[in-house]
Every structure is written in C-alpha cells, then in structure tokens.
Amino acid sequence: MRRTSFANWPCSIARTMDLLGDWWTPLVLREAFYGVRRFDAFQQSLGIARNTLTDRLRRLVDEGLMEKQPYQNEPVRHDYVLTEKGRDFYGVLMAMNAWGDRWLAGEQGAPVVFHHERCGRQGHAEVVCSECGEPMTATDTRPRLGPGYPPRLAERPDVRERFAD
C-alpha cells in the first residue's frame, strides 16, 4: 500500500513527518547524536533490519540530514555524519524526549538525562518564544498564516476560520 505524501502540504509539521516517514528515522538520528557513525553500530544499537536501516540512511543522506564519509576503501565503507540540517533536528528530539519524560517515564524517572555543558547542570528542552524568551504553550500561542501559505488555499472559508484572529 502506498502512503500519502505530505511533502507539498502547507504545513511544516506534515512536511517533517513526510521526511521522517516512520518511527525508525528519528531513532537513527538519535543514535547519530549519541555518537554512532557506522552502519554496523546503528544496526547493533537499534536492532533494526539491515535493509530497513539501509533505506533510512539513504533517505537521510538524500534529504541532506546526513552525509557519507568514506573511512575504508577495500571494501568501501562509510561513516554517516550529521550535516548542519541534521544537527538542527536536535531540538525536535529534545522536545520529544522532554514530553516522553513527563508523560511516559513512570515512577523510575527519566531513562536518559541531559547535561548542559554551558551551565554545568542537568536540564530538559522547553519551547520558548524567540522574541521574549517566555514559554510557548497551546493556551497562549495561536497559528497564523505565514508568507509560504498558498494563496489559493488561504481563500478557503475553512482555512480562514482556522487561522482567524
């Protein structure tokens, strides 16, 4: 069964989900942030089928989140290294981790904690306004049409209602 593509939807969340495609892709990226670079190490740490891992790594390379860097010639083998675009995904994973720690960790507590090197303390991700630094929550934040929203869709009554002031 072929899945619906969200690549051209006027929504960055939908476009991101189209890129991620499944649950393995964020986990591959997580492992890359943990320092994993080699195919066999990804496969071992995730317990993922080799063909599935090959597909996910190929997609991440094709989409510019990772790049292949050869480390051996005979046979040719590569490290998979995060690009700037890939490194920029860290905040997404940190937000997912913070939510999971709050709602899914259980009595034992967080399975992984994060030490912030700059301040020397353990912390967690928060989504804050880039302008005032205050937290952005669902109760005090409203979506508005941005410059990239297709004008033909912006005229629809249901769209105008969804993004009304």
Side-chain angles (χ1 to χ4, degrees), residues 25-136:
T25 304
L27 296 176
V28 170
L29 289 167
R30 179 200 67 190
E31 292 303 305
F33 283 112
Y34 287 176
V36 175
R37 298 169 63 112
R38 301 212 168 146
F39 185 94
D40 290 337
F42 281 111
Q43 201 275 325
Q44 182 179 6
S45 65
L46 292 170
I48 185 175
R50 295 180 74 80
N51 63 326
T52 302
L53 179 58
T54 297
D55 290 344
R56 297 318 174 270
L57 288 170
R58 182 181 304 120
R59 177 89 191 250
L60 289 167
V61 169
D62 290 348
E63 294 291 339
L65 279 84
M66 299 183 95
E67 63 184 15
K68 291 167 63 171
Q69 296 178 348
Y71 70 87
Q72 178 178 312
N73 291 329
E74 302 265 340
V76 176
R77 294 186 187 229
H78 297 93
D79 280 336
Y80 291 87
V81 180
L82 291 162
T83 63
E84 180 182 2
K85 184 177 180 181
R87 289 187 303 273
D88 203 35
F89 196 77
Y90 190 68
V92 176
L93 292 177
M94 290 294 293
M96 290 171 66
N97 192 84
W99 185 89
D101 284 351
R102 179 170 180 189
W103 297 104
L104 305 174
E107 292 180 20
Q108 307 91 324
V112 175
V113 296
F114 295 91
H115 179 81
H116 189 228
E117 296 293 326
R118 283 195 182 171
C119 72
R121 298 174 68 184
Q122 181 177 307
H124 64 273
E126 287 188 6
V127 177
V128 298
C129 176
S130 61
E131 301 302 313
C132 70
E134 291 294 317
M136 293 180 75

